Amino acid sequence: MSTKNSSTSTLTMPSDREIVMTRVFDAPRELVFKAYTDPKLIPQWWGQRSTTTTVDKMDVRPGGVWRFVQRDADGNEYAFNGEYKEIVPPERLAYTFEFEGMPGHVLLETVTFEEQGGKTKVKVLSLFDSVEDRDGMLQSGMEAGANESNDRLAELLANS
Amino acid sequence: MARLATTSDVFNAIAEPQRRQILNLLAQGERSVNDIAEALHLKQPQASKHLRVLKQVGLVSVRGAGQQRLYKLTGESLKPIHEWVTPFERFWEENFDRLDEYLQEFQKKEK
């Protein structure tokens, strides 16, 4: 099942424990990989626009730890952390991902950077440990994203 | 949110590739078992089996029309899946948008 929105992102669910987001960027692969792995560049794009992201830790090597903190206008902080598992410049990056607001629900994200005629296709695969983890995140996601029930996916499926 | 037993879980139901194909086909309109089997090159009992699972979790509904039984997609039942992926989609979409802007800006400066 896949959906396309107005931009070039595509979301697919290859299994009941995986979500894949794909997007093609008009930039060379080395540069896109750098944006993911350079602590100076993370604050430029990581996190919601309405927040400011600071890099607390970012040790880009297998076993190295990362921790990013988002601050909103009211001073609320949302921190994320994880551990780098695999670094293959400029092709692939794998790390664990945990939102400190809902500890214990860890997922593994594998980002692949594929060259496509001067452009770069970025694929983010998010894998949950178990369906229990997935459901835990579903519940907290529902609290956080509260009441924004819309049936866009259903509509898209119905119109595709 | 109350969860059903694993066998009758919406996520499980759509994890199977052939069942996803059936859903995509039904997204275009009502179909009979035979139409579905033919379109997806499945044996009729196989198609029936998948439809049974999809019906069990409420992803499809069925109605009798003369001799035929027509299957239809039930959009509402996709809601749990939608609610699950939405925060994700939003998170990555915004990051991707920002990354895209950054990359464009950066390359402009380089030129």
Side-chain angles (χ1 to χ4, degrees):
Chain A
M1 190 174 306
S2 75
T3 68
K4 264 190 191 345
N5 56 28
S6 54
S7 69
T8 46
S9 295
T10 309
L11 185 143
T12 54
M13 294 175 66
S15 80
D16 63 348
R17 290 194 296 134
E18 293 168 293
I19 297 182
V20 175
M21 279 287 280
T22 312
R23 174 108 161 216
V24 177
F25 294 94
D26 190 2
R29 181 159 74 154
E30 281 70 18
L31 181 60
V32 185
F33 187 83
K34 190 168 181 254
Y36 267 86
T37 49
D38 185 336
K40 289 197 294 294
L41 300 187
I42 291 291
Q44 305 275 353
W45 65 272
W46 203 93
Q48 288 157 282
R49 255 178 238 283
S50 54
T51 65
T52 314
T53 298
T54 40
V55 174
D56 179 29
K57 294 173 198 161
M58 193 169 166
D59 186 10
V60 188
R61 58 190 169 118
V65 169
W66 66 271
R67 186 172 185 269
F68 303 161
V69 182
Q70 281 185 39
R71 273 179 203 87
D72 67 18
D74 300 324
N76 299 311
E77 291 191 351
Y78 307 91
F80 301 81
N81 73 67
E83 188 186 305
Y84 290 100
K85 296 289 182 193
E86 193 185 15
I87 294 123
V88 188
E91 290 165 25
R92 196 165 60 248
L93 194 62
Y95 50 84
T96 60
F97 181 105
E98 183 181 27
F99 171 39
E100 292 178 12
M102 40 169 153
H105 300 297
V106 180
L107 53 120
L108 179 69
E109 290 201 329
T110 306
V111 188
T112 47
F113 305 84
E114 194 188 309
E115 195 138 30
Q116 279 194 341
K119 296 184 180 184
T120 306
K121 183 177 177 181
V122 174
K123 190 175 106 178
V124 183
L125 167 77
S126 304
L127 170 70
F128 293 82
D129 270 350
S130 63
V131 286
E132 287 75 25
D133 252 358
R134 180 201 72 196
D135 293 347
M137 217 167 254
L138 165 64
Q139 276 154 7
S140 43
M142 281 171 76
E143 281 160 32
N147 304 326
E148 277 189 66
S149 98
N150 69 62
D151 293 48
R152 197 161 64 84
L153 180 65
E155 278 167 28
L156 279 165
L157 251 184
N159 295 332
S160 65
Chain B
M1 176 178 181
R3 304 284 308 164
L4 301 166
T6 322
T7 44
S8 55
D9 180 295
V10 177
F11 292 92
N12 249 324
I14 65 152
E16 214 289 320
Q18 285 180 345
R19 287 201 283 268
R20 288 214 294 272
Q21 286 179 354
I22 292 176
L23 290 175
N24 279 322
L25 185 67
L26 290 179
Q28 296 158 30
E30 280 186 321
R31 295 279 193 284
S32 69
V33 188
N34 286 336
D35 287 350
I36 294 165
E38 202 184 305
L40 303 176
H41 309 290
L42 299 172
K43 294 207 168 70
Q44 201 258 344
Q46 208 180 354
S48 295
K49 208 176 121 196
H50 286 317
L51 284 165
R52 210 154 44 232
V53 176
L54 292 172
K55 190 165 168 282
Q56 214 176 16
V57 299
L59 281 168
V60 303
S61 61
V62 63
R63 70 177 179 94
Q67 298 286 19
Q68 280 190 320
R69 285 163 65 76
L70 295 176
Y71 288 84
K72 191 181 160 190
L73 182 70
T74 318
E76 181 64 17
S77 53
L78 288 166
K79 222 170 148 184
I81 292 164
H82 183 61
E83 282 171 347
W84 179 53
V85 299
T86 297
F88 254 85
E89 193 181 18
R90 210 175 288 152
F91 180 83
W92 277 110
E93 192 63 38
E94 189 157 359
N95 280 4
F96 279 168
D97 282 346
R98 294 188 67 192
L99 178 58
D100 194 34
E101 285 164 22
Y102 169 74
L103 292 168
Q104 295 319 313
E105 281 289 307
F106 181 84
Q107 291 183 103
K108 232 184 275 169
K109 273 186 230 152
E110 290 289 283
K111 274 170 195 166

